[in-house]
Amino acid sequence: MRLANGIVIDKEKTFGVLKFSALRREVHVQNEDGTVSEEIKERTYDLKCNTQGRMIQVSVPATVPLKDYDYNAEVELINPVADTVANANYRGADVDWYVKADDIVLKNKGNQNAGNPQNNNTQGQPKK
């Protein structure tokens, strides 16, 4: 059983400050014969979460470039969603939670939009 669209998350209340730790794993696409291909489906990263008081794992699509931020760099999730997977057992069901996001970006200091490559202004006055 899965939730249809997951649970949309209020980032500030749920995570507070997130700090980058490391790449946890890469999930590869499975071939028709059941063997593992070289194609990567998604990457899961470990992030330190002060509000949850523990490390959390967040998965992003493989179409997003590999993240190699400094350890403890403050990051932000783009469009995070929590979802579940439930497996029936003799007492009811076991439920596992997971978090997916469109991207993990460095948290900007100031009012710039996170992850916006168009906003590469340098400080100071423009040259005339």
Side-chain angles (χ1 to χ4, degrees):
M1 178 178 100
R2 289 182 182 253
L3 297 172
N5 296 315
I7 299 170
V8 178
I9 297 171
D10 180 320
K11 295 187 284 190
E12 295 301 318
K13 290 180 183 176
T14 305
F15 302 120
V17 176
L18 288 171
K19 294 188 177 181
F20 188 81
S21 182
L23 174 67
R24 183 173 196 69
R25 69 180 163 270
E26 292 179 327
V27 178
H28 291 264
V29 174
Q30 197 170 16
N31 294 321
E32 291 179 12
D33 64 358
T35 60
V36 178
S37 74
E38 292 296 317
E39 183 182 353
I40 298 171
K41 179 180 176 183
E42 68 182 16
R43 293 182 179 95
T44 301
Y45 295 90
D46 284 335
L47 304 177
K48 294 179 183 179
C49 179
N50 75 332
T51 302
Q52 299 299 319
R54 63 183 183 91
M55 194 81 72
I56 64 169
Q57 288 78 44
V58 178
S59 297
V60 296
T63 55
V64 174
L66 179 67
K67 304 298 177 186
D68 191 22
Y69 299 135
D70 290 337
Y71 184 74
N72 277 342
E74 195 170 335
V75 295
E76 162 175 26
L77 301 178
I78 305 300
N79 300 322
V81 174
D83 209 344
T84 61
V85 175
N87 296 306
N89 63 29
Y90 66 94
R91 297 181 308 156
D94 292 324
V95 179
D96 291 320
W97 288 89
Y98 60 90
V99 177
K100 291 190 174 221
D102 290 344
D103 201 355
I104 300 172
V105 297
L106 288 174
K107 182 136 185 166
N108 288 339
K109 306 295 181 197
N111 294 329
Q112 296 178 348
N113 291 333
N116 184 354
Q118 302 295 325
N119 202 354
N120 290 334
N121 304 12
T122 57
Q123 291 183 358
Q125 298 295 325
K127 294 182 181 180
K128 293 184 179 182

